[in-house]
Amino acid sequence: MSPIAETESTVTRFAPSPTGLLHLGHAYSALFAQRIATEAGGRFLLRIEDIDAGRCKPEFDAAIQEDLAWLGLAWEEPVRRQSEHMADYRAALDRLAAESLLYPCFCTRKEILTEIERAGGAPQGPEGPLYPGTCRTLTAEERRTRIATGEAYALRLDAAEAGRRAGPLSWDEIGRGPQVCDPLRHGDVVLARKDVATSYHLAVTTDDALQGVTLVTRGEDLFEATHVHRLLQALLGLPAPRYRHHRLLTDESGRRFAKRDQSLTLRALREAGHAPSDILPMIGLDA
Ligand code: GLU
């Protein structure tokens, strides 16, 4: 499977967001990461990705840990909770800002759509049309004035400039070999949201480095996000972990498991009388 055998220096992690109960897809992802680490004699970490205070709930944080323990997983303490580490994300933003790689973006979603329409379209990114760069060309004076009047703003990466500074990049995708990183894949991505002083991309990249993660395992749906993560690692002088994006589990009708599938949460299965050992065949893993 891997040209580079895992060793006792391998560190993997499972990084759920506490926005709901864990379902079978999460069980697969958690066991995938934990087994690689355990089989290699390495370390397995749990990280709670709770930057989105509006959507994350402490009761889901507790439920995640309870359900993973029920499943038989063990992880190193302490659990890293992103909401407790905002200063780390701030430091990363400061570094990028000091290198003039960030700019404030005042646009609302509606303004972005209107601008894309006016321009007759925009290049497509993995999550829809790319940001048209409206605020990239504001003058320093305009930025200052709008910030001073209390207008809300996000911080975006100047992706073209970031790509130039970083130079050619790739990441090692186990089973698929080196993947060429495209710094423009997500356009001028948001690194600090208007409502949260960081973003998924910035927090994940910072944390994987600070926690010494050597192998990032996660679902195939996050493969594209790795373009941003690899770029940020280069800009922030962080080590590049290896990656292994795994398949996504689907139900009988071929739909991905999602938080809406209440009957397939670990909690519901447990309450219906299933034992942890019943879960493995459900997700196609051996005991
Ligand atoms: N928190 C993300 C999620 O629950 C996973 C992040 C990652 O593994 O990089 O989808």
Side-chain angles (χ1 to χ4, degrees), residues 13 15-17 26 47 49 200 204 208 216-218 222 229:
R13 53 36 165 211
S17 299
H26 292 114
R47 182 166 75 227
E49 304 218 319
Y200 159 65
V204 159
D208 283 335
V216 172
T217 65
R218 58 186 177 196
L222 289 169
H229 301 175

Side-chain angles (χ1 to χ4, degrees), residues 18 21 48 57-68 81 267:
L21 292 169
I48 300 292
K57 299 212 161 52
E59 55 268 35
F60 290 133
D61 180 339
I64 285 171
Q65 300 196 51
E66 205 183 303
D67 291 348
L68 291 177
R81 212 161 265 108
R267 190 58 58 104

Side-chain angles (χ1 to χ4, degrees), residues 195-217:
D195 58 335
V196 180
T198 182
S199 66
Y200 159 65
H201 296 303
L202 185 77
V204 159
T205 308
T206 306
D207 286 349
D208 283 335
L210 288 177
Q211 293 191 285
V213 172
T214 63
L215 174 61
V216 172
T217 65

Side-chain angles (χ1 to χ4, degrees), residues 12-17 22-37 44-47 68 71 73 200 215-222 244-249 256-257 266 279-280 282-285:
T12 65
R13 53 36 165 211
F14 176 55
S17 299
L22 297 183
H23 53 69
L24 286 175
H26 292 114
Y28 178 78
S29 201
L31 283 160
F32 190 94
Q34 188 255 352
R35 286 184 167 195
I36 290 180
F44 170 65
L45 310 177
L46 173 65
R47 182 166 75 227
L68 291 177
L71 207 51
L73 273 88
Y200 159 65
L215 174 61
V216 172
T217 65
R218 58 186 177 196
E220 180 64 27
D221 54 332
L222 289 169
R244 173 77 200 267
H245 291 91
H246 60 68
R247 68 190 174 91
L248 298 173
L249 293 196
R256 264 178 63 185
F257 289 132
L266 297 179
I279 305 298
L280 298 177
M282 290 184 199
I283 57 179
L285 289 178

